[in-house]
mmCIF file with all atom_site columns, all heavy atoms in Angstrom:
data_model
loop_
_atom_site.group_PDB
_atom_site.id
_atom_site.type_symbol
_atom_site.label_atom_id
_atom_site.label_alt_id
_atom_site.label_comp_id
_atom_site.label_asym_id
_atom_site.label_entity_id
_atom_site.label_seq_id
_atom_site.pdbx_PDB_ins_code
_atom_site.Cartn_x
_atom_site.Cartn_y
_atom_site.Cartn_z
_atom_site.occupancy
_atom_site.B_iso_or_equiv
_atom_site.pdbx_formal_charge
_atom_site.auth_seq_id
_atom_site.auth_comp_id
_atom_site.auth_asym_id
_atom_site.auth_atom_id
_atom_site.pdbx_PDB_model_num
ATOM 1   N N   . LEU Q 1 56 ? 2.666   -0.196  -1.915  1.00 91.00 ? 56 LEU Q N   1
ATOM 2   C CA  . LEU Q 1 56 ? 2.628   -1.137  -3.184  1.00 91.00 ? 56 LEU Q CA  1
ATOM 3   C C   . LEU Q 1 56 ? 1.876   -2.380  -2.739  1.00 91.00 ? 56 LEU Q C   1
ATOM 4   O O   . LEU Q 1 56 ? 0.881   -2.803  -3.575  1.00 91.00 ? 56 LEU Q O   1
ATOM 5   C CB  . LEU Q 1 56 ? 4.029   -1.311  -3.779  1.00 91.00 ? 56 LEU Q CB  1
ATOM 6   C CG  . LEU Q 1 56 ? 4.018   -2.182  -5.025  1.00 91.00 ? 56 LEU Q CG  1
ATOM 7   C CD1 . LEU Q 1 56 ? 3.315   -1.454  -6.079  1.00 91.00 ? 56 LEU Q CD1 1
ATOM 8   C CD2 . LEU Q 1 56 ? 5.602   -2.387  -5.352  1.00 91.00 ? 56 LEU Q CD2 1
ATOM 9   N N   . PRO Q 1 57 ? 2.279   -3.179  -1.896  1.00 91.00 ? 57 PRO Q N   1
ATOM 10  C CA  . PRO Q 1 57 ? 1.616   -4.423  -1.555  1.00 91.00 ? 57 PRO Q CA  1
ATOM 11  C C   . PRO Q 1 57 ? 0.131   -4.093  -1.000  1.00 91.00 ? 57 PRO Q C   1
ATOM 12  O O   . PRO Q 1 57 ? -0.906  -4.860  -1.279  1.00 91.00 ? 57 PRO Q O   1
ATOM 13  C CB  . PRO Q 1 57 ? 2.314   -5.146  -0.541  1.00 91.00 ? 57 PRO Q CB  1
ATOM 14  C CG  . PRO Q 1 57 ? 3.281   -4.201  -0.102  1.00 91.00 ? 57 PRO Q CG  1
ATOM 15  C CD  . PRO Q 1 57 ? 3.429   -3.114  -1.007  1.00 91.00 ? 57 PRO Q CD  1
ATOM 16  N N   . LEU Q 1 58 ? -0.098  -2.948  -0.362  1.00 89.00 ? 58 LEU Q N   1
ATOM 17  C CA  . LEU Q 1 58 ? -1.183  -2.565  0.243   1.00 89.00 ? 58 LEU Q CA  1
ATOM 18  C C   . LEU Q 1 58 ? -2.265  -2.385  -0.850  1.00 89.00 ? 58 LEU Q C   1
ATOM 19  O O   . LEU Q 1 58 ? -3.539  -2.742  -0.695  1.00 89.00 ? 58 LEU Q O   1
ATOM 20  C CB  . LEU Q 1 58 ? -1.120  -1.321  1.170   1.00 89.00 ? 58 LEU Q CB  1
ATOM 21  C CG  . LEU Q 1 58 ? -2.278  -1.107  2.033   1.00 89.00 ? 58 LEU Q CG  1
ATOM 22  C CD1 . LEU Q 1 58 ? -2.543  -2.175  3.149   1.00 89.00 ? 58 LEU Q CD1 1
ATOM 23  C CD2 . LEU Q 1 58 ? -1.915  0.265   2.711   1.00 89.00 ? 58 LEU Q CD2 1
ATOM 24  N N   . SER Q 1 59 ? -1.913  -1.645  -1.911  1.00 88.00 ? 59 SER Q N   1
ATOM 25  C CA  . SER Q 1 59 ? -2.819  -1.367  -2.865  1.00 88.00 ? 59 SER Q CA  1
ATOM 26  C C   . SER Q 1 59 ? -3.563  -2.679  -3.651  1.00 88.00 ? 59 SER Q C   1
ATOM 27  O O   . SER Q 1 59 ? -4.680  -2.678  -3.817  1.00 88.00 ? 59 SER Q O   1
ATOM 28  C CB  . SER Q 1 59 ? -2.288  -0.444  -3.961  1.00 88.00 ? 59 SER Q CB  1
ATOM 29  O OG  . SER Q 1 59 ? -1.297  -1.058  -4.585  1.00 88.00 ? 59 SER Q OG  1
ATOM 30  N N   . LEU Q 1 60 ? -2.605  -3.562  -3.778  1.00 87.00 ? 60 LEU Q N   1
ATOM 31  C CA  . LEU Q 1 60 ? -3.023  -4.864  -4.395  1.00 87.00 ? 60 LEU Q CA  1
ATOM 32  C C   . LEU Q 1 60 ? -3.992  -5.676  -3.356  1.00 87.00 ? 60 LEU Q C   1
ATOM 33  O O   . LEU Q 1 60 ? -4.917  -6.298  -3.809  1.00 87.00 ? 60 LEU Q O   1
ATOM 34  C CB  . LEU Q 1 60 ? -1.894  -5.740  -4.833  1.00 87.00 ? 60 LEU Q CB  1
ATOM 35  C CG  . LEU Q 1 60 ? -2.211  -7.075  -5.498  1.00 87.00 ? 60 LEU Q CG  1
ATOM 36  C CD1 . LEU Q 1 60 ? -3.109  -6.751  -6.739  1.00 87.00 ? 60 LEU Q CD1 1
ATOM 37  C CD2 . LEU Q 1 60 ? -0.901  -7.749  -5.892  1.00 87.00 ? 60 LEU Q CD2 1
ATOM 38  N N   . LEU Q 1 61 ? -3.639  -5.557  -2.135  1.00 87.00 ? 61 LEU Q N   1
ATOM 39  C CA  . LEU Q 1 61 ? -4.467  -6.176  -1.204  1.00 87.00 ? 61 LEU Q CA  1
ATOM 40  C C   . LEU Q 1 61 ? -5.864  -5.663  -1.118  1.00 87.00 ? 61 LEU Q C   1
ATOM 41  O O   . LEU Q 1 61 ? -6.814  -6.428  -1.155  1.00 87.00 ? 61 LEU Q O   1
ATOM 42  C CB  . LEU Q 1 61 ? -3.843  -6.035  0.276   1.00 87.00 ? 61 LEU Q CB  1
ATOM 43  C CG  . LEU Q 1 61 ? -4.659  -6.591  1.389   1.00 87.00 ? 61 LEU Q CG  1
ATOM 44  C CD1 . LEU Q 1 61 ? -4.620  -8.161  1.426   1.00 87.00 ? 61 LEU Q CD1 1
ATOM 45  C CD2 . LEU Q 1 61 ? -4.172  -6.090  2.716   1.00 87.00 ? 61 LEU Q CD2 1
ATOM 46  N N   . VAL Q 1 62 ? -5.964  -4.419  -1.142  1.00 84.00 ? 62 VAL Q N   1
ATOM 47  C CA  . VAL Q 1 62 ? -7.309  -3.606  -1.152  1.00 84.00 ? 62 VAL Q CA  1
ATOM 48  C C   . VAL Q 1 62 ? -8.077  -4.072  -2.331  1.00 84.00 ? 62 VAL Q C   1
ATOM 49  O O   . VAL Q 1 62 ? -9.350  -4.357  -2.331  1.00 84.00 ? 62 VAL Q O   1
ATOM 50  C CB  . VAL Q 1 62 ? -7.094  -2.179  -1.006  1.00 84.00 ? 62 VAL Q CB  1
ATOM 51  C CG1 . VAL Q 1 62 ? -8.404  -1.457  -1.277  1.00 84.00 ? 62 VAL Q CG1 1
ATOM 52  C CG2 . VAL Q 1 62 ? -6.500  -1.805  0.345   1.00 84.00 ? 62 VAL Q CG2 1
ATOM 53  N N   . THR Q 1 63 ? -7.484  -4.133  -3.410  1.00 81.00 ? 63 THR Q N   1
ATOM 54  C CA  . THR Q 1 63 ? -8.133  -4.468  -4.720  1.00 81.00 ? 63 THR Q CA  1
ATOM 55  C C   . THR Q 1 63 ? -8.682  -5.910  -4.747  1.00 81.00 ? 63 THR Q C   1
ATOM 56  O O   . THR Q 1 63 ? -9.813  -6.221  -5.062  1.00 81.00 ? 63 THR Q O   1
ATOM 57  C CB  . THR Q 1 63 ? -7.139  -4.287  -6.037  1.00 81.00 ? 63 THR Q CB  1
ATOM 58  O OG1 . THR Q 1 63 ? -6.726  -2.964  -6.024  1.00 81.00 ? 63 THR Q OG1 1
ATOM 59  C CG2 . THR Q 1 63 ? -7.825  -4.781  -7.278  1.00 81.00 ? 63 THR Q CG2 1
ATOM 60  N N   . LEU Q 1 64 ? -7.764  -6.777  -4.186  1.00 81.00 ? 64 LEU Q N   1
ATOM 61  C CA  . LEU Q 1 64 ? -8.187  -8.229  -4.188  1.00 81.00 ? 64 LEU Q CA  1
ATOM 62  C C   . LEU Q 1 64 ? -9.374  -8.564  -3.197  1.00 81.00 ? 64 LEU Q C   1
ATOM 63  O O   . LEU Q 1 64 ? -10.245 -9.178  -3.454  1.00 81.00 ? 64 LEU Q O   1
ATOM 64  C CB  . LEU Q 1 64 ? -6.892  -9.027  -3.717  1.00 81.00 ? 64 LEU Q CB  1
ATOM 65  C CG  . LEU Q 1 64 ? -5.906  -9.197  -4.736  1.00 81.00 ? 64 LEU Q CG  1
ATOM 66  C CD1 . LEU Q 1 64 ? -4.713  -10.084 -4.083  1.00 81.00 ? 64 LEU Q CD1 1
ATOM 67  C CD2 . LEU Q 1 64 ? -6.345  -9.815  -6.011  1.00 81.00 ? 64 LEU Q CD2 1
ATOM 68  N N   . VAL Q 1 65 ? -9.305  -7.715  -2.083  1.00 78.00 ? 65 VAL Q N   1
ATOM 69  C CA  . VAL Q 1 65 ? -10.431 -7.855  -0.978  1.00 78.00 ? 65 VAL Q CA  1
ATOM 70  C C   . VAL Q 1 65 ? -11.615 -7.322  -1.580  1.00 78.00 ? 65 VAL Q C   1
ATOM 71  O O   . VAL Q 1 65 ? -12.694 -7.991  -1.356  1.00 78.00 ? 65 VAL Q O   1
ATOM 72  C CB  . VAL Q 1 65 ? -9.998  -7.083  0.216   1.00 78.00 ? 65 VAL Q CB  1
ATOM 73  C CG1 . VAL Q 1 65 ? -11.098 -7.124  1.260   1.00 78.00 ? 65 VAL Q CG1 1
ATOM 74  C CG2 . VAL Q 1 65 ? -8.815  -7.876  0.915   1.00 78.00 ? 65 VAL Q CG2 1
ATOM 75  N N   . PHE Q 1 66 ? -11.629 -6.132  -2.314  1.00 71.00 ? 66 PHE Q N   1
ATOM 76  C CA  . PHE Q 1 66 ? -12.700 -5.599  -2.859  1.00 71.00 ? 66 PHE Q CA  1
ATOM 77  C C   . PHE Q 1 66 ? -13.389 -6.517  -3.915  1.00 71.00 ? 66 PHE Q C   1
ATOM 78  O O   . PHE Q 1 66 ? -14.527 -6.763  -3.880  1.00 71.00 ? 66 PHE Q O   1
ATOM 79  C CB  . PHE Q 1 66 ? -12.427 -4.259  -3.496  1.00 71.00 ? 66 PHE Q CB  1
ATOM 80  C CG  . PHE Q 1 66 ? -13.051 -3.128  -2.720  1.00 71.00 ? 66 PHE Q CG  1
ATOM 81  C CD1 . PHE Q 1 66 ? -12.227 -2.619  -1.600  1.00 71.00 ? 66 PHE Q CD1 1
ATOM 82  C CD2 . PHE Q 1 66 ? -14.105 -2.513  -3.157  1.00 71.00 ? 66 PHE Q CD2 1
ATOM 83  C CE1 . PHE Q 1 66 ? -12.817 -1.566  -0.853  1.00 71.00 ? 66 PHE Q CE1 1
ATOM 84  C CE2 . PHE Q 1 66 ? -14.702 -1.352  -2.429  1.00 71.00 ? 66 PHE Q CE2 1
ATOM 85  C CZ  . PHE Q 1 66 ? -13.976 -0.998  -1.282  1.00 71.00 ? 66 PHE Q CZ  1
ATOM 86  N N   . TRP Q 1 67 ? -12.676 -7.065  -4.767  1.00 69.00 ? 67 TRP Q N   1
ATOM 87  C CA  . TRP Q 1 67 ? -13.132 -7.794  -5.910  1.00 69.00 ? 67 TRP Q CA  1
ATOM 88  C C   . TRP Q 1 67 ? -13.557 -9.246  -5.356  1.00 69.00 ? 67 TRP Q C   1
ATOM 89  O O   . TRP Q 1 67 ? -14.589 -9.770  -5.879  1.00 69.00 ? 67 TRP Q O   1
ATOM 90  C CB  . TRP Q 1 67 ? -12.043 -8.074  -7.029  1.00 69.00 ? 67 TRP Q CB  1
ATOM 91  C CG  . TRP Q 1 67 ? -12.080 -6.888  -7.871  1.00 69.00 ? 67 TRP Q CG  1
ATOM 92  C CD1 . TRP Q 1 67 ? -11.221 -5.785  -7.979  1.00 69.00 ? 67 TRP Q CD1 1
ATOM 93  C CD2 . TRP Q 1 67 ? -13.069 -6.572  -8.955  1.00 69.00 ? 67 TRP Q CD2 1
ATOM 94  N NE1 . TRP Q 1 67 ? -11.411 -4.987  -8.984  1.00 69.00 ? 67 TRP Q NE1 1
ATOM 95  C CE2 . TRP Q 1 67 ? -12.624 -5.359  -9.629  1.00 69.00 ? 67 TRP Q CE2 1
ATOM 96  C CE3 . TRP Q 1 67 ? -14.165 -7.200  -9.452  1.00 69.00 ? 67 TRP Q CE3 1
ATOM 97  C CZ2 . TRP Q 1 67 ? -13.302 -4.773  -10.689 1.00 69.00 ? 67 TRP Q CZ2 1
ATOM 98  C CZ3 . TRP Q 1 67 ? -14.877 -6.641  -10.510 1.00 69.00 ? 67 TRP Q CZ3 1
ATOM 99  C CH2 . TRP Q 1 67 ? -14.331 -5.543  -11.200 1.00 69.00 ? 67 TRP Q CH2 1
ATOM 100 N N   . ILE Q 1 68 ? -12.870 -9.753  -4.462  1.00 70.00 ? 68 ILE Q N   1
ATOM 101 C CA  . ILE Q 1 68 ? -13.118 -11.274 -4.046  1.00 70.00 ? 68 ILE Q CA  1
ATOM 102 C C   . ILE Q 1 68 ? -14.096 -11.359 -3.001  1.00 70.00 ? 68 ILE Q C   1
ATOM 103 O O   . ILE Q 1 68 ? -14.967 -12.147 -2.997  1.00 70.00 ? 68 ILE Q O   1
ATOM 104 C CB  . ILE Q 1 68 ? -11.813 -11.965 -3.795  1.00 70.00 ? 68 ILE Q CB  1
ATOM 105 C CG1 . ILE Q 1 68 ? -10.819 -11.924 -4.972  1.00 70.00 ? 68 ILE Q CG1 1
ATOM 106 C CG2 . ILE Q 1 68 ? -12.156 -13.413 -3.171  1.00 70.00 ? 68 ILE Q CG2 1
ATOM 107 C CD1 . ILE Q 1 68 ? -9.528  -12.608 -4.625  1.00 70.00 ? 68 ILE Q CD1 1
ATOM 108 N N   . VAL Q 1 69 ? -14.078 -10.349 -2.062  1.00 66.00 ? 69 VAL Q N   1
ATOM 109 C CA  . VAL Q 1 69 ? -14.968 -10.438 -0.983  1.00 66.00 ? 69 VAL Q CA  1
ATOM 110 C C   . VAL Q 1 69 ? -16.037 -9.502  -0.800  1.00 66.00 ? 69 VAL Q C   1
ATOM 111 O O   . VAL Q 1 69 ? -17.115 -9.801  -0.735  1.00 66.00 ? 69 VAL Q O   1
ATOM 112 C CB  . VAL Q 1 69 ? -14.023 -10.296 0.438   1.00 66.00 ? 69 VAL Q CB  1
ATOM 113 C CG1 . VAL Q 1 69 ? -14.838 -10.257 1.694   1.00 66.00 ? 69 VAL Q CG1 1
ATOM 114 C CG2 . VAL Q 1 69 ? -12.845 -11.309 0.520   1.00 66.00 ? 69 VAL Q CG2 1
ATOM 115 N N   . LEU Q 1 70 ? -15.703 -8.191  -0.946  1.00 62.00 ? 70 LEU Q N   1
ATOM 116 C CA  . LEU Q 1 70 ? -16.787 -7.112  -0.755  1.00 62.00 ? 70 LEU Q CA  1
ATOM 117 C C   . LEU Q 1 70 ? -17.817 -7.158  -1.914  1.00 62.00 ? 70 LEU Q C   1
ATOM 118 O O   . LEU Q 1 70 ? -18.933 -6.901  -1.789  1.00 62.00 ? 70 LEU Q O   1
ATOM 119 C CB  . LEU Q 1 70 ? -16.062 -5.886  -0.550  1.00 62.00 ? 70 LEU Q CB  1
ATOM 120 C CG  . LEU Q 1 70 ? -15.330 -5.811  0.783   1.00 62.00 ? 70 LEU Q CG  1
ATOM 121 C CD1 . LEU Q 1 70 ? -14.766 -4.392  1.124   1.00 62.00 ? 70 LEU Q CD1 1
ATOM 122 C CD2 . LEU Q 1 70 ? -16.058 -6.171  1.992   1.00 62.00 ? 70 LEU Q CD2 1
ATOM 123 N N   . PHE Q 1 71 ? -17.210 -7.220  -3.189  1.00 59.00 ? 71 PHE Q N   1
ATOM 124 C CA  . PHE Q 1 71 ? -18.052 -7.050  -4.366  1.00 59.00 ? 71 PHE Q CA  1
ATOM 125 C C   . PHE Q 1 71 ? -19.174 -8.021  -4.366  1.00 59.00 ? 71 PHE Q C   1
ATOM 126 O O   . PHE Q 1 71 ? -20.306 -7.664  -4.619  1.00 59.00 ? 71 PHE Q O   1
ATOM 127 C CB  . PHE Q 1 71 ? -17.235 -7.013  -5.529  1.00 59.00 ? 71 PHE Q CB  1
ATOM 128 C CG  . PHE Q 1 71 ? -18.009 -6.920  -6.935  1.00 59.00 ? 71 PHE Q CG  1
ATOM 129 C CD1 . PHE Q 1 71 ? -18.355 -5.605  -7.265  1.00 59.00 ? 71 PHE Q CD1 1
ATOM 130 C CD2 . PHE Q 1 71 ? -18.332 -8.038  -7.664  1.00 59.00 ? 71 PHE Q CD2 1
ATOM 131 C CE1 . PHE Q 1 71 ? -19.086 -5.359  -8.491  1.00 59.00 ? 71 PHE Q CE1 1
ATOM 132 C CE2 . PHE Q 1 71 ? -19.038 -7.717  -8.785  1.00 59.00 ? 71 PHE Q CE2 1
ATOM 133 C CZ  . PHE Q 1 71 ? -19.472 -6.478  -9.277  1.00 59.00 ? 71 PHE Q CZ  1
ATOM 134 N N   . PRO Q 1 72 ? -18.945 -9.296  -4.277  1.00 58.00 ? 72 PRO Q N   1
ATOM 135 C CA  . PRO Q 1 72 ? -19.992 -10.302 -4.172  1.00 58.00 ? 72 PRO Q CA  1
ATOM 136 C C   . PRO Q 1 72 ? -20.943 -10.057 -2.960  1.00 58.00 ? 72 PRO Q C   1
ATOM 137 O O   . PRO Q 1 72 ? -22.230 -10.313 -3.218  1.00 58.00 ? 72 PRO Q O   1
ATOM 138 C CB  . PRO Q 1 72 ? -19.248 -11.656 -3.974  1.00 58.00 ? 72 PRO Q CB  1
ATOM 139 C CG  . PRO Q 1 72 ? -17.967 -11.377 -4.558  1.00 58.00 ? 72 PRO Q CG  1
ATOM 140 C CD  . PRO Q 1 72 ? -17.625 -9.986  -4.165  1.00 58.00 ? 72 PRO Q CD  1
ATOM 141 N N   . GLU Q 1 73 ? -20.443 -9.621  -1.820  1.00 58.00 ? 73 GLU Q N   1
ATOM 142 C CA  . GLU Q 1 73 ? -21.387 -9.514  -0.768  1.00 58.00 ? 73 GLU Q CA  1
ATOM 143 C C   . GLU Q 1 73 ? -22.340 -8.163  -0.883  1.00 58.00 ? 73 GLU Q C   1
ATOM 144 O O   . GLU Q 1 73 ? -23.532 -8.236  -0.599  1.00 58.00 ? 73 GLU Q O   1
ATOM 145 C CB  . GLU Q 1 73 ? -20.599 -9.265  0.657   1.00 58.00 ? 73 GLU Q CB  1
ATOM 146 C CG  . GLU Q 1 73 ? -19.924 -10.529 1.016   1.00 58.00 ? 73 GLU Q CG  1
ATOM 147 C CD  . GLU Q 1 73 ? -19.263 -10.380 2.262   1.00 58.00 ? 73 GLU Q CD  1
ATOM 148 O OE1 . GLU Q 1 73 ? -19.198 -9.252  2.886   1.00 58.00 ? 73 GLU Q OE1 1
ATOM 149 O OE2 . GLU Q 1 73 ? -18.688 -11.394 2.860   1.00 58.00 ? 73 GLU Q OE2 1
ATOM 150 N N   . GLU Q 1 74 ? -21.788 -7.152  -1.391  1.00 56.00 ? 74 GLU Q N   1
ATOM 151 C CA  . GLU Q 1 74 ? -22.557 -5.785  -1.627  1.00 56.00 ? 74 GLU Q CA  1
ATOM 152 C C   . GLU Q 1 74 ? -23.347 -5.723  -2.833  1.00 56.00 ? 74 GLU Q C   1
ATOM 153 O O   . GLU Q 1 74 ? -24.202 -4.885  -2.882  1.00 56.00 ? 74 GLU Q O   1
ATOM 154 C CB  . GLU Q 1 74 ? -21.486 -4.698  -1.612  1.00 56.00 ? 74 GLU Q CB  1
ATOM 155 C CG  . GLU Q 1 74 ? -20.701 -4.531  -0.270  1.00 56.00 ? 74 GLU Q CG  1
ATOM 156 C CD  . GLU Q 1 74 ? -21.684 -4.153  0.858   1.00 56.00 ? 74 GLU Q CD  1
ATOM 157 O OE1 . GLU Q 1 74 ? -22.568 -3.454  0.626   1.00 56.00 ? 74 GLU Q OE1 1
ATOM 158 O OE2 . GLU Q 1 74 ? -21.451 -4.657  2.010   1.00 56.00 ? 74 GLU Q OE2 1
ATOM 159 N N   . ARG Q 1 75 ? -23.130 -6.578  -3.747  1.00 54.00 ? 75 ARG Q N   1
ATOM 160 C CA  . ARG Q 1 75 ? -23.835 -6.457  -5.032  1.00 54.00 ? 75 ARG Q CA  1
ATOM 161 C C   . ARG Q 1 75 ? -25.277 -6.478  -4.985  1.00 54.00 ? 75 ARG Q C   1
ATOM 162 O O   . ARG Q 1 75 ? -26.015 -5.748  -5.482  1.00 54.00 ? 75 ARG Q O   1
ATOM 163 C CB  . ARG Q 1 75 ? -23.215 -7.483  -6.061  1.00 54.00 ? 75 ARG Q CB  1
ATOM 164 C CG  . ARG Q 1 75 ? -23.929 -7.370  -7.307  1.00 54.00 ? 75 ARG Q CG  1
ATOM 165 C CD  . ARG Q 1 75 ? -23.317 -8.315  -8.331  1.00 54.00 ? 75 ARG Q CD  1
ATOM 166 N NE  . ARG Q 1 75 ? -23.882 -8.222  -9.648  1.00 54.00 ? 75 ARG Q NE  1
ATOM 167 C CZ  . ARG Q 1 75 ? -23.502 -8.928  -10.709 1.00 54.00 ? 75 ARG Q CZ  1
ATOM 168 N NH1 . ARG Q 1 75 ? -22.548 -9.774  -10.642 1.00 54.00 ? 75 ARG Q NH1 1
ATOM 169 N NH2 . ARG Q 1 75 ? -24.159 -8.712  -11.917 1.00 54.00 ? 75 ARG Q NH2 1
ATOM 170 N N   . PRO Q 1 76 ? -25.848 -7.406  -4.056  1.00 52.00 ? 76 PRO Q N   1
ATOM 171 C CA  . PRO Q 1 76 ? -27.256 -7.484  -4.054  1.00 52.00 ? 76 PRO Q CA  1
ATOM 172 C C   . PRO Q 1 76 ? -27.939 -6.307  -3.202  1.00 52.00 ? 76 PRO Q C   1
ATOM 173 O O   . PRO Q 1 76 ? -29.094 -5.885  -3.409  1.00 52.00 ? 76 PRO Q O   1
ATOM 174 C CB  . PRO Q 1 76 ? -27.567 -8.722  -3.094  1.00 52.00 ? 76 PRO Q CB  1
ATOM 175 C CG  . PRO Q 1 76 ? -26.294 -9.567  -3.369  1.00 52.00 ? 76 PRO Q CG  1
ATOM 176 C CD  . PRO Q 1 76 ? -25.192 -8.604  -3.439  1.00 52.00 ? 76 PRO Q CD  1
#
Side-chain angles (χ1 to χ4, degrees):
L56 185 60
L58 192 62
S59 64
L60 182 56
L61 174 72
V62 170
T63 300
L64 291 176
V65 170
F66 251 80
W67 277 102
I68 298 174
V69 179
L70 298 182
F71 183 77
E73 289 184 357
E74 294 296 323
R75 185 174 181 178

